[in-house]
């Protein structure tokens, strides 16, 4: 499947152009200045006395420096931290809802593509725009009851914090109410196990899965079946077929279409392994495995 701009006016004192350079020259006196310029010279001399007096400059410099170095109040800093956290949570929630979502892998059913405790990110946008493709790795909600009921552990404060952060998307979802499998058949496809060479076929086309993503030594399937996938549903299987309780083992359950995953239950498609770092990789759809599969019939049973 985390700067601070000083408030306006808190910078150093503004230097008046020419004030420092004029400080070494005495102001002209009224007796030597021409009458017509006496008023303006007097005004300029007054300005120079404020900015060029060593004592005055010291007061201004000290005042400006004290304003610049004045520390923020404790509660002001706390408020800034809280605001940053609130914005971070809001952004994470929007990203989770509209773009991506994080999960961790709790079992070995998708080995070796995904391994135990891998952290992945899921594209939640793709299912919005239409059906998934054969070969996609899909995360879906367990609305058909494939998983046993989750015991109520009571949970402590740490669990509550983790679950809250997982809900907004800051941490990966660790609940057992989601599963991850690979899409083998889409609506209308006839999926059969197996042909004379032990390969699964989709609409009569055999799939060469062994070197693409199947767990080494795992057969495509030890369970014989022949199904037509209902529209807006998917037939899914794990890459480690010997350790995956997928669509193959749910044909006889009482829930309608219990062996098939409804498009409405799809959370998204996995596109990257983000953690651990030595496992970082982009997850690609093995297009060549399904490239020759013809379109299935419409209106599957």
């Amino acid at each position: 499947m985390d700067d601070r701009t000083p408030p306006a006016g808190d910078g150093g004192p503004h230097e008046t152009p020419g004030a420092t350079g004029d400080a070494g020259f005495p102001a002209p006196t009224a007796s030597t200045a021409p009458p017509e310029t006496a008023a303006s010279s007097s005004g300029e001399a007054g300005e120079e006395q404020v900015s060029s007096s060593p004592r005055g400059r010291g007061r201004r410099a000290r005042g400006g420096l004290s304003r610049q170095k004045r520390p923020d109040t404790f509660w002001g800093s706390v408020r800034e931290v809280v605001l940053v956290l609130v914005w971070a949570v809001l952004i994470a929630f929007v990203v989770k809802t509209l773009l991506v979502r994080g999960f961790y892998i709790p079992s070995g059913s998708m080995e070796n593509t995904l391994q135990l405790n891998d952290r992945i990110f899921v594209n939640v946008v793709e299912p919005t725009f239409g059906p998934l493709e054969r070969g996609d790795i899909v995360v879906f909600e367990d609305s058909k009851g494939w998983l046993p009921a989750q015991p109520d552990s009571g949970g402590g404060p740490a669990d509550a914090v983790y679950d809250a952060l997982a809900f907004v998307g800051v941490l990966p979802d660790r609940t057992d109410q989601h599963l991850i499998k690979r899409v083998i058949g889409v609506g209308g496809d006839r999926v059969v196990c197996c042909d004379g060479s032990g390969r699964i076929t989709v609409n009569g086309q055999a799939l060469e899965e062994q070197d693409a993503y199947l767990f080494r030594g795992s057969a495509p399937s030890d369970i014989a079946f022949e199904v037509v996938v209902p529209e807006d549903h998917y037939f899914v299987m794990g890459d480690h077929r010997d350790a995956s309780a997928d669509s193959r083992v749910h044909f006889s359950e009482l829930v309608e279409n219990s062996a098939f995953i409804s498009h409405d239950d799809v959370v998204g498609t996995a596109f990257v392994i983000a953690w651990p770092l030595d496992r970082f990789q982009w997850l690609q759809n093995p297009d060549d495995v399904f490239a020759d599969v013809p379109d299935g019939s419409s209106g599957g049973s």
Side-chain angles (χ1 to χ4, degrees):
M1 131 272 203
D2 294 278
D3 232 90
R4 269 166 62 158
T5 303
D10 280 357
H14 298 288
E15 182 177 356
T16 303
T20 304
D22 293 342
F25 295 92
T29 62
S31 60
T32 60
E36 61 272 19
T37 61
S40 61
S41 297
S42 176
E44 291 174 359
E47 294 247 315
E48 288 177 359
Q49 287 172 359
V50 172
S51 60
S52 65
S53 166
R55 185 175 181 181
R57 284 206 310 273
R59 284 197 300 269
R60 289 187 62 190
R62 285 194 300 271
L65 187 61
S66 64
R67 287 196 301 270
Q68 186 178 16
K69 292 185 176 180
R70 182 177 57 205
D72 293 335
T73 64
F74 172 77
W75 290 114
S77 299
V78 170
R79 182 178 63 181
E80 290 186 5
V81 171
V82 170
L83 287 175
V84 168
L85 290 176
V86 168
W87 277 108
V89 169
L90 288 175
I91 292 171
F93 182 76
V94 171
V95 168
K96 169 200 168 180
T97 305
L98 301 178
L99 299 176
V100 298
R101 189 169 172 183
F103 289 89
Y104 91 109
I105 305 303
S107 74
S109 68
M110 285 295 292
E111 293 174 330
N112 277 330
T113 306
L114 302 175
Q115 296 183 9
L116 188 67
N117 292 326
D118 278 353
R119 266 61 172 177
I120 65 171
F121 283 112
V122 169
N123 177 356
V124 302
V125 177
E126 186 173 0
T128 305
F129 293 99
L132 305 181
E133 297 180 355
R134 306 179 191 97
D136 284 344
I137 298 175
V138 59
V139 172
F140 53 94
E141 296 179 4
D142 182 31
S143 66
K144 303 295 178 67
W146 286 14
L147 295 168
Q150 191 175 16
D152 185 7
S153 60
D159 289 336
V161 171
Y162 189 103
D163 292 341
L165 293 176
F167 175 76
V168 299
V170 174
L171 293 176
D173 196 323
R174 63 179 181 178
T175 67
D176 290 333
Q177 303 309 309
H178 296 87
L179 298 100
I180 183 166
K181 305 293 178 187
R182 189 180 298 275
V183 175
I184 302 299
V186 299
D189 284 349
R190 181 176 295 275
V191 186
V192 178
C193 176
C194 291
D195 68 1
S197 299
R199 300 170 299 180
I200 291 175
T201 65
V202 179
N203 302 330
Q205 176 65 42
L207 304 181
E208 299 294 345
E209 303 177 282
Q210 197 67 57
D211 296 328
Y213 48 76
L214 278 190
F215 184 80
R216 185 176 297 276
S218 184
S221 180
D222 292 327
I223 302 173
F225 59 85
E226 180 174 352
V227 296
V228 176
V229 184
E231 289 300 316
D232 297 320
H233 286 72
Y234 304 103
F235 185 87
V236 298
M237 302 175 72
D239 289 356
H240 190 176
R241 302 285 161 83
D242 300 330
S244 178
D246 46 43
S247 289
R248 298 169 297 165
V249 302
H250 296 284
F251 293 124
S252 61
E253 295 179 6
L254 298 177
V255 179
E256 183 179 4
N257 293 331
S258 61
F260 308 102
I261 302 307
S262 170
H263 184 80
D264 293 338
D265 291 334
V266 173
V267 176
T269 55
F271 68 93
V272 67
I273 301 173
W275 190 266
L277 291 179
D278 61 351
R279 290 268 303 146
F280 181 90
Q281 61 180 296
W282 301 104
L283 299 172
Q284 305 290 338
N285 183 304
D287 296 325
D288 53 335
V289 175
F290 300 90
D292 297 328
V293 174
D295 292 337
S297 61
S298 59
S301 61

